[in-house]
Amino acid sequence: MSQITKKIWGLNLKRTIIWRVAFLRRCARSLWHQILACLIGKTLRYRHLLSSGSGSGPLIPTSLRRPEMMMTPSTTGEMTSSSDDGSDLVALKISLLGDQHIGKTSFLAKYVGKEKNEEELEGRGINQMDKTLCVRGARIAYSIWEVGGDAFYPDGDLKTSIPAACKDSVAILFMFDLTSRCTLNSVINWHQQARYHNQMAIPVMVGSKFDEFVQLPLDLQWTIANQARAYAKAINATLFFSSASYNINVNKIFKFVTAKLFDLPWVLERNLTIGEPIIDF
């Protein structure tokens, strides 16, 4: 455990530098596209989240927002609607890794609102779902890639699934079943594989099936919670306990990722109380 921790800590500085450089490159490309668009007479309405006001505002899916909620203030004080030509769209990729039968597909289906199609999404290889948010006049299109848990098994497709899912991801969610400690132990292996292909993505640890976890004896809950917190600290990840069945912390996890990516002033409250959905950072 100590060797793994030292190795991970040694990569932290390198990961931070790579992430900053990549972020600056994305900003430079965005600026260049705006200049080109102006030269050819097109209007770009992309609004940088980093230059927004002090309030974070709610992260509401575009499909659920009323027309008046899509209005954003312009530089002249007038209200303008978001562009429909895709010029204000920020496309980002998120990866979801973890063992078999831990609720990854249920978690993802709950977030994107496709619970009815969950059975069609289950299977081997990679599942991919999309969700678009509207934040401060800019639309964020998340492409979420879920790697089937069988990728680590002898007949799994580890060599192609994990690299494909992790490449260019801005955040990686490492999931485990709160009622199965062997899936928790696998988090370190998933993290090592993911970091080999992507060293700058934001790491998040997600414990699923919290609704079943709270039915375990308190001493066992305490043991699992402390082990999960130790692993999260070792990989420098924020830890969330969640439940797709009761929609506990599902949306909050993606709000956290969005706020972290764009440095939005969104407050995340720490909760270490056994018997409640833990959030640790």
Side-chain angles (χ1 to χ4, degrees):
M1 179 63 187
S2 60
Q3 294 180 351
I4 295 176
T5 302
K6 291 179 180 178
K7 183 178 180 180
I8 294 173
W9 285 346
L11 292 174
N12 281 344
L13 180 58
K14 182 179 179 181
R15 176 175 62 84
T16 301
I17 295 175
I18 295 176
W19 164 252
R20 296 298 182 186
V21 171
F23 184 78
L24 289 174
R25 286 177 178 174
R26 287 197 298 270
C27 291
R29 283 198 299 267
S30 177
L31 179 60
W32 176 243
H33 290 327
Q34 293 184 57
I35 295 173
L36 289 178
C38 291
L39 291 176
I40 63 177
K42 292 185 178 180
T43 301
L44 284 179
R45 296 174 182 265
Y46 175 74
R47 300 175 182 276
H48 292 285
L49 296 176
L50 291 176
S51 62
S52 301
S54 58
S56 63
L59 306 183
I60 303 176
T62 302
S63 59
L64 299 180
R65 295 177 68 89
R66 299 188 299 274
E68 60 269 22
M69 297 176 68
M70 296 293 291
M71 307 300 285
T72 56
S74 67
T75 55
T76 61
E78 299 177 354
M79 301 303 292
T80 59
S81 60
S82 296
S83 174
D84 293 329
D85 61 2
S87 60
D88 63 346
L89 188 67
V90 183
L92 299 174
K93 179 181 176 183
I94 296 177
S95 300
L96 184 58
L97 310 180
D99 286 356
Q100 290 179 310
H101 311 304
I102 61 172
K104 297 192 305 295
T105 303
S106 298
F107 173 86
L108 183 53
K110 172 65 69 174
Y111 178 63
V112 301
K114 293 185 178 179
E115 294 92 338
K116 293 182 179 179
N117 297 328
E118 181 180 335
E119 293 182 358
E120 301 176 6
L121 298 170
E122 292 180 348
R124 306 178 66 174
I126 297 178
N127 295 324
Q128 188 266 330
M129 290 189 239
D130 301 321
K131 181 153 183 173
T132 303
L133 305 174
C134 184
V135 185
R136 298 182 179 181
R139 290 184 297 158
I140 303 174
Y142 280 136
S143 177
I144 310 172
W145 293 45
E146 174 209 342
V147 175
D150 55 0
F152 265 133
Y153 289 80
D155 57 346
D157 200 7
L158 176 63
K159 292 184 179 180
T160 59
S161 296
I162 293 182
C166 294
K167 181 181 179 181
D168 299 325
S169 290
V170 295
I172 300 178
L173 276 55
F174 301 97
M175 288 194 66
F176 64 97
D177 183 346
L178 285 165
T179 65
S180 174
R181 296 181 68 178
C182 64
T183 65
L184 173 56
N185 293 331
S186 296
V187 166
I188 298 298
N189 291 329
W190 285 105
H191 180 267
Q192 289 178 329
Q193 290 292 330
R195 283 309 188 207
Y196 181 79
H197 303 286
N198 188 327
Q199 297 183 11
M200 60 186 180
I202 296 172
V204 181
M205 263 185 69
V206 180
S208 64
K209 303 183 182 180
F210 175 75
D211 53 303
E212 298 179 16
F213 173 74
V214 292
Q215 300 178 24
L216 299 177
L218 283 177
D219 58 339
L220 183 55
Q221 290 186 44
W222 184 88
T223 300
I224 294 175
N226 280 337
Q227 183 179 355
R229 290 181 59 200
Y231 280 18
K233 184 176 181 180
I235 66 175
N236 195 29
T238 299
L239 173 67
F240 291 87
F241 284 11
S242 70
S243 169
S245 300
Y246 292 88
N247 199 18
I248 298 173
N249 281 343
V250 176
N251 292 305
K252 185 175 290 187
I253 290 170
F254 289 92
K255 288 183 180 181
F256 164 76
V257 170
T258 303
K260 190 82 170 177
L261 282 171
F262 297 99
D263 197 24
L264 296 174
W266 183 69
V267 179
L268 182 66
E269 296 183 359
R270 196 181 190 199
N271 185 3
L272 303 180
T273 304
I274 299 299
E276 296 182 8
I278 284 179
I279 299 177
D280 191 20
F281 51 89

